[in-house]
Amino acid sequence: MEQSDAFNISILASGSTGNSLFIESDKKKILVDAGLSGKKITSLLQEIDRRPEDLDAIFVTHEHRDHIHGVGVMARKYHLDVYANEKTWQAMDPMIGKVANEQKYIFEMGKVMTLGDLDIESFGVSHDAAMPQFYRFYKDGKSFVVLTDTGYCNDHLRGVIKGADAYLMESNHDLEMLRMGSYPWHLKQRILGDKGHLSNDDGALVMTDILTDQTKRIYLGHRSQENNLKELAHLTMENILREHDLGVGEAFQVFDTDPDKATSIFSV
């Protein structure tokens, strides 16, 4: 990696079955979430020519299984530091097996910490977990925002995440597919509620408020396998951005993610 690159990113997996992404700078290599088996995460890293042995840490967003499934095994096998807020630690501790105390770090919501040459800001979201938080990564005037599990995005949150160079933004479901689909009513209510997930339309409308000239890449994340289609999520995002006179394909590009295939590494 050339020193001129701020940092590199690959979304290893994003979807309702498992989530993990890889970030590397000159000094650090980290995962955000490890919601697949250790074996699967290792194979996804191999897809981008990276090795788990070189990782330094895992940042956890919340304790749902599709975000923590491999946290314990990866931390133990590769002696990784794990960062999460206190309530998330309390919720996930019994679910991930033993992690040595010296590998456990508290990263409270609304704080900024420095890890090597990266500054990392945590922010709270509205989701049905103990204390869910996501992250904005900064280096050399560039930044990347991860936001994939929230029922809505209030003005304060929009301010926190505005103007990043790249986003992983939730496009969880198509409203009509969810309403007409086979999920039981209580599950549909959960997904549609304030502590559920952003729809394709919701995610796109958030983007219309937070895009600036700085923004170059939008990745669509946490797509439901049952209540969405890749093409539909992509089309909805592009159409709504165009309706707001935002230059899709000119100033910035929209990219898809997959639940079991890593994106190519991109530089921010």
Side-chain angles (χ1 to χ4, degrees):
M1 182 172 61
E2 296 177 5
Q3 292 286 327
S4 58
D5 289 340
F7 50 98
N8 291 337
I9 301 161
S10 170
I11 295 130
L12 300 178
S14 188
S16 41
T17 52
N19 298 273
S20 187
L21 66 90
F22 169 80
I23 297 177
E24 71 177 357
S25 64
D26 294 329
K27 295 183 178 178
K28 294 293 177 183
K29 291 179 170 62
I30 64 175
L31 296 179
V32 179
D33 290 334
L36 307 97
S37 70
K39 183 178 179 182
K40 181 62 176 174
I41 291 170
T42 298
S43 84
L44 290 166
L45 286 167
Q46 287 171 345
E47 287 184 20
I48 56 167
D49 297 320
R50 299 298 188 271
R51 306 181 327 142
E53 292 87 349
D54 297 329
L55 292 169
D56 297 293
I58 304 172
F59 285 76
V60 178
T61 61
H62 61 297
E63 76 279 4
H64 289 167
R65 183 175 172 80
D66 60 324
H67 294 262
I68 66 162
H69 177 50
V71 168
V73 68
M74 294 293 288
R76 287 186 290 275
K77 188 168 184 180
Y78 302 108
H79 201 72
L80 306 180
D81 295 333
V82 181
Y83 293 81
N85 63 48
E86 194 165 2
K87 288 190 176 178
T88 297
W89 265 118
Q90 290 169 359
M92 77 173 174
D93 231 359
M95 303 163 67
I96 62 172
K98 185 166 177 58
V99 174
N101 285 335
E102 62 266 23
Q103 293 171 249
K104 294 181 177 181
Y105 288 84
I106 302 291
F107 183 12
E108 290 298 357
M109 184 184 293
K111 303 293 186 183
V112 178
M113 66 167 282
T114 299
L115 187 74
D117 50 356
L118 288 168
D119 293 322
I120 305 160
E121 181 179 11
S122 62
F123 54 86
V125 298
S126 180
H127 195 52
D128 57 351
M131 188 178 275
Q133 69 182 22
F134 281 80
Y135 302 102
R136 183 168 183 166
F137 295 85
Y138 296 88
K139 183 177 183 289
D140 298 340
K142 301 292 186 76
S143 69
F144 170 64
V145 167
V146 187
L147 179 61
T148 63
D149 292 64
T150 190
Y152 72 99
C153 193
N154 61 24
D155 289 343
H156 171 73
L157 179 52
R158 289 174 198 234
V160 170
I161 64 176
K162 189 180 180 78
D165 294 80
Y167 290 90
L168 175 59
M169 172 59 67
E170 180 160 60
S171 291
N172 177 256
H173 56 277
D174 173 75
L175 285 169
E176 282 309 304
M177 283 185 71
L178 178 61
R179 288 185 178 128
M180 302 298 289
S182 62
Y183 276 15
W185 174 238
H186 69 88
L187 186 53
K188 292 180 182 181
Q189 281 185 305
R190 175 196 165 250
I191 294 167
L192 291 166
D194 281 352
K195 294 190 174 184
H197 291 276
L198 295 179
S199 69
N200 294 340
D201 296 75
D202 293 334
L205 288 169
V206 170
M207 286 307 313
T208 66
D209 281 343
I210 63 176
L211 267 174
T212 68
D213 291 343
Q214 187 91 355
T215 307
K216 304 301 178 203
R217 289 170 172 265
I218 303 165
Y219 285 79
L220 307 182
H222 215 297
R223 189 178 69 254
S224 168
Q225 305 305 109
E226 291 79 21
N227 301 305
N228 211 345
L229 297 170
K230 184 186 289 189
E231 298 78 10
L232 192 52
H234 195 107
L235 195 62
T236 302
M237 177 65 75
E238 290 197 342
N239 285 347
I240 287 177
L241 293 177
R242 282 199 186 96
E243 285 167 10
H244 286 76
D245 294 324
L246 296 164
V248 179
E250 298 163 19
F252 61 88
Q253 288 183 285
V254 178
F255 298 88
D256 304 313
T257 62
D258 286 288
D260 54 5
K261 183 183 175 187
T263 67
S264 299
I265 285 183
F266 60 95
S267 295
V268 172

